Amino acid sequence: MSVNARALTRLLLNERSSLMRLVQRIVGDMTAAEDVTQSLWLRVQGVNDHPPILNKRAYLFRLAANLARDQARSDRRQNGLFDHGPLPEEIADDTPLADRQLLDREALDQLQQGLAELSPRCREIVYLRRMENLSAAEIAQRLGISRQMVTRYIAQAMEHCLNRVTGDA
């Protein structure tokens, strides 16, 4: 280790608290200030004797300030890359996971099978209710049956399809 490096290391140990305050003012964060001070120690270890350093304290504080400014610039640049606010919702993928898609597809297949097993009249009533969005009274009037019969058909269809989907059929 050179004479300059030894002298700067001793000075760094003696002036550590002052150096930390200086660096913290520049970088704005105690953790970052400690990182810079550690970098300063490593940098000091590589200082040669040629040319000789006349004012070691000024050299050390200048070196600390320069390292701190470099760190602050680096932090701003890095934060600028990632600090653009929250991501737009359009980027978020709300597609269900593959296992959920598979389970949903199986349930839909079961429901379609259940609907296919219904009588033609029951299937027609379910279609009018769910797809055409007609009320029970409108369906009854269109098919010439009672409203109570329409609600029975719908209840039977729903029970049959539910049993098919849940595996109770």
Side-chain angles (χ1 to χ4, degrees), residues 56-129:
K56 292 177 179 39
R57 187 173 191 282
Y59 179 87
L60 186 64
F61 275 81
R62 173 65 66 148
L63 185 58
N66 288 343
L67 287 173
R69 281 193 279 285
D70 289 346
Q71 181 66 41
R73 269 193 297 272
S74 174
D75 289 347
R76 279 194 303 274
R77 191 172 43 250
Q78 186 175 7
N79 290 339
L81 292 174
F82 298 105
D83 191 22
H84 293 291
L87 292 175
E89 288 185 27
E90 299 87 49
I91 293 175
D93 186 11
D94 59 353
T95 305
L97 298 176
D99 58 339
R100 179 79 260 162
Q101 289 179 13
L102 180 63
L103 292 171
D104 290 346
R105 171 54 57 195
E106 288 176 0
L108 182 60
D109 290 344
Q110 293 293 329
L111 178 62
Q112 287 174 334
Q113 281 182 332
L115 288 170
E117 294 167 356
L118 296 175
S119 69
R121 173 66 78 144
C122 192
R123 221 179 6 255
E124 180 182 16
I125 290 171
V126 169
Y127 176 82
L128 292 171
R129 178 73 185 115

Side-chain angles (χ1 to χ4, degrees), residues 46-59:
V47 173
N48 294 324
D49 281 337
H50 185 71
I53 300 171
L54 301 176
N55 188 344
K56 292 177 179 39
R57 187 173 191 282
Y59 179 87

Side-chain angles (χ1 to χ4, degrees), residues 11-68:
L11 188 60
L12 189 148
L13 293 173
N14 291 335
E15 297 285 340
R16 187 172 190 284
S17 60
S18 297
L19 287 165
M20 286 290 291
R21 282 193 301 274
L22 169 70
V23 171
Q24 186 177 5
R25 270 193 313 250
I26 296 170
V27 296
D29 181 340
M30 184 55 123
T31 305
E34 296 212 6
D35 290 344
V36 169
T37 305
Q38 182 66 32
S39 296
L40 176 63
W41 185 85
L42 289 171
R43 184 72 62 96
V44 163
Q45 301 309 303
V47 173
N48 294 324
D49 281 337
H50 185 71
I53 300 171
L54 301 176
N55 188 344
K56 292 177 179 39
R57 187 173 191 282
Y59 179 87
L60 186 64
F61 275 81
R62 173 65 66 148
L63 185 58
N66 288 343
L67 287 173

